[in-house]
Amino acid sequence: MDERTPVSEAGALAHAGVTLDAETRLHGDGDHQTELRLWLRLLTCANLIETDIRSQLRAEFDVTLPRFDLMAQLERTQDGLTLGELSRRMMVSAGNVTGLVERLVQDGLVERRPAPGDRRSALVSLTAAGRASFEGMAHAHGDWIGEIFAGLEPADMEALMRLLAKTKASAMAAALKPATATQDTRGDEETPNG
C-alpha cells in the first residue's frame, strides 16, 4: 500500500472482506497518476450508484434500468418520441430501443402510433398505465438518490456540481480534439484483405 491510500480506508475495506476497487488499488508514480485516480474514482462512484439503482428497480418494481430510462424520456413529452429520438436521447442503438419498446408495448405501458406526415416513422408514448407506473418508480428513484447522497452536505453537493461541470467541459473539449500522432490508431488502418 502506498502513502496515497490511507491505511484506515484500505485496511478497513480489506478487513471487512471487501474487494478493493481499481482506484484504491492503484500504485505507482507514473505520469498522470492523479488523473487516473480521479477517472477511476468517478467510474467507481458511477458504478456503485448504478448498481444500487438497478437492484432497487428490479427488487421493488421488477423493471430494468433501461426500461426505466426509456419511460423517463417518454414521461418528459406529451406528444411522444420517434425511435430515432429515443435512441439519441438514451445514447443506445436503435435496435436496443426497438426491443425495449416492444416489451413495454406488450406490458401495456407504452403505445406506438404512426407519426403525422411520415408513414415510415412511429411515435412512442406512455399509456395512462405507463404514466401511473412511472410516477411510482420516479418517486422511489428520487428517494434512493437522496439516500445515496445523504452523507453529503448541501455545500458539498454544490461544490461537487461545480467541479463536475468543469470536468464535463474538459472531457467534452478533449473529445472534440482531432486525434494526435501519439494516439494509437492501429484499429483505424485498413488491411489488404479487409
Side-chain angles (χ1 to χ4, degrees):
M1 184 172 2
D2 65 20
E3 67 274 359
R4 288 173 289 171
T5 304
V7 172
S8 60
E9 176 187 5
L13 289 172
H15 180 67
V18 175
T19 303
L20 298 181
D21 56 56
E23 183 259 331
T24 306
R25 290 180 301 183
L26 186 64
H27 294 286
D29 296 322
D31 291 344
H32 306 292
Q33 289 297 302
T34 302
E35 292 90 340
L36 287 170
R37 288 187 73 228
L38 175 60
W39 175 61
L40 291 170
R41 180 153 306 171
L42 288 169
L43 284 175
T44 299
C45 289
N47 287 335
L48 287 169
I49 293 166
E50 183 176 325
T51 298
D52 185 50
I53 296 300
R54 282 180 187 276
S55 175
Q56 298 272 19
L57 283 168
R58 179 66 77 185
E60 195 163 324
F61 297 101
D62 194 29
V63 72
T64 64
L65 184 57
R67 285 186 188 200
F68 176 82
D69 288 344
L70 188 141
M71 292 175 76
Q73 293 301 322
L74 294 176
E75 194 272 335
R76 294 181 180 115
T77 177
Q78 292 295 321
D79 299 329
L81 297 168
T82 65
L83 294 176
E85 289 170 323
L86 279 167
S87 175
R88 280 188 296 280
R89 287 180 179 207
M90 294 177 67
M91 296 183 279
V92 298
S93 73
N96 285 345
V97 168
T98 300
L100 288 170
V101 167
E102 290 300 322
R103 288 187 291 282
L104 290 167
V105 166
Q106 290 171 1
D107 293 343
L109 300 174
V110 302
E111 62 186 1
R112 215 181 359 229
R113 65 185 185 285
D118 186 356
R119 286 183 280 158
R120 297 173 297 152
S121 247
L123 287 175
V124 179
S125 58
L126 289 173
T127 63
R131 283 197 184 280
S133 176
F134 181 76
E135 185 177 315
M137 286 187 276
H139 180 76
H141 179 265
D143 289 344
W144 301 330
I145 296 296
E147 289 171 11
I148 289 169
F149 292 108
L152 298 176
E153 298 294 328
D156 296 332
M157 288 187 265
E158 288 300 321
L160 190 54
M161 289 294 290
R162 281 191 302 277
L163 290 171
L164 287 173
K166 288 175 73 171
T167 303
K168 181 179 177 181
S170 179
M172 290 176 76
L176 295 174
K177 285 192 338 193
T180 63
T182 60
Q183 292 175 324
D184 184 0
T185 57
R186 288 177 286 175
D188 296 335
E189 296 175 5
E190 290 186 9
T191 59
N193 298 325

